[in-house]
Amino acid sequence: MIYTDESTVKIDSVILPGVFKSIEVKGDAIVDEQEVEGQSKKPKQATGYDDVKVNIELILEDGPDMGKLEKLETIQQIFRTSGQEKPTVHKIINSHTAVRGVKQVIFKQLTHKAENKKGQIVVTLEFWEYTVMTITASKSASGSAGAAAAATSAARSNLKAGYQSYLGNRGKAPALGKSPARDTAKGGKHLATVKAMPY
């Protein structure tokens, strides 16, 4: 959970060191520009909205209990701990983000800038709106059967005309137990004939 008031910023159970300077909430529309030959002006088409971005700025200075670099290290541990592979999703509680409809964010970027003359570090924490999307995939049985039939038809179209004719006129295999062939082991005569295939 991220909580901000007039002077402090709290992420989960940790109050961030430093002085809270500002919060910026930014939302953008997504607009595509098209290239049109012979025109200098590009026509635009609105396609949706980008995720809202929240920037929180802190000022770190040396203090009696903790130096500015130690304070920066504390913030770094919240951004990414050793061995962490994926960013954590946080709930955000702030009047500015609430008005914009932002409820959950990920810690997207951590930037710091040292100001030599002032002896302080300016830290910017960038959060991106996080919306859970559920994607379901369904497989159509009729679609797979149709694809199989189309593949069979395509395979037959590549055969020679004589072989296609043979496939259409070859008949069916005899049912089990009713074969016209006799057991040759008992001296019977084999009656099965093989029809020549015109390749």
Side-chain angles (χ1 to χ4, degrees), residues 27-31 46-52 129:
D28 293 319
I30 301 173
V31 179
T47 58
Y49 291 95
D50 207 348
D51 294 330
V52 173
E129 179 184 12

Side-chain angles (χ1 to χ4, degrees), residues 32-99:
D32 289 341
E33 292 185 344
Q34 305 294 327
E35 293 281 351
V36 178
E37 189 175 348
Q39 292 188 9
S40 59
K41 191 174 182 180
K42 298 179 181 178
K44 298 172 178 61
Q45 181 178 5
T47 58
Y49 291 95
D50 207 348
D51 294 330
V52 173
K53 297 172 180 62
V54 181
N55 292 327
I56 296 175
E57 203 169 46
L58 299 172
I59 297 175
L60 307 182
E61 296 178 321
D62 290 326
D65 300 325
M66 189 182 294
K68 59 183 178 243
L69 290 177
E70 292 174 298
K71 294 177 181 179
L72 179 61
E73 187 177 3
T74 300
I75 299 172
Q76 170 62 32
Q77 291 300 314
I78 298 171
F79 174 64
R80 184 181 182 184
T81 59
S82 178
Q84 182 178 345
E85 295 182 357
K86 294 181 181 180
T88 306
V89 179
H90 302 276
K91 290 182 181 179
I92 187 164
I93 299 175
N94 179 273
S95 58
H96 297 281
T97 56
V99 168

Side-chain angles (χ1 to χ4, degrees), residues 1-3 10-13 89-93:
M1 181 181 73
I2 302 170
Y3 172 78
K10 183 178 180 182
I11 298 180
D12 297 332
S13 59
V89 179
H90 302 276
K91 290 182 181 179
I92 187 164
I93 299 175

Side-chain angles (χ1 to χ4, degrees), residues 166 170 190-197 199:
Y166 161 74
R170 66 180 175 164
H190 198 293
L191 300 177
T193 58
V194 178
K195 188 176 181 180
M197 294 181 290
Y199 292 101

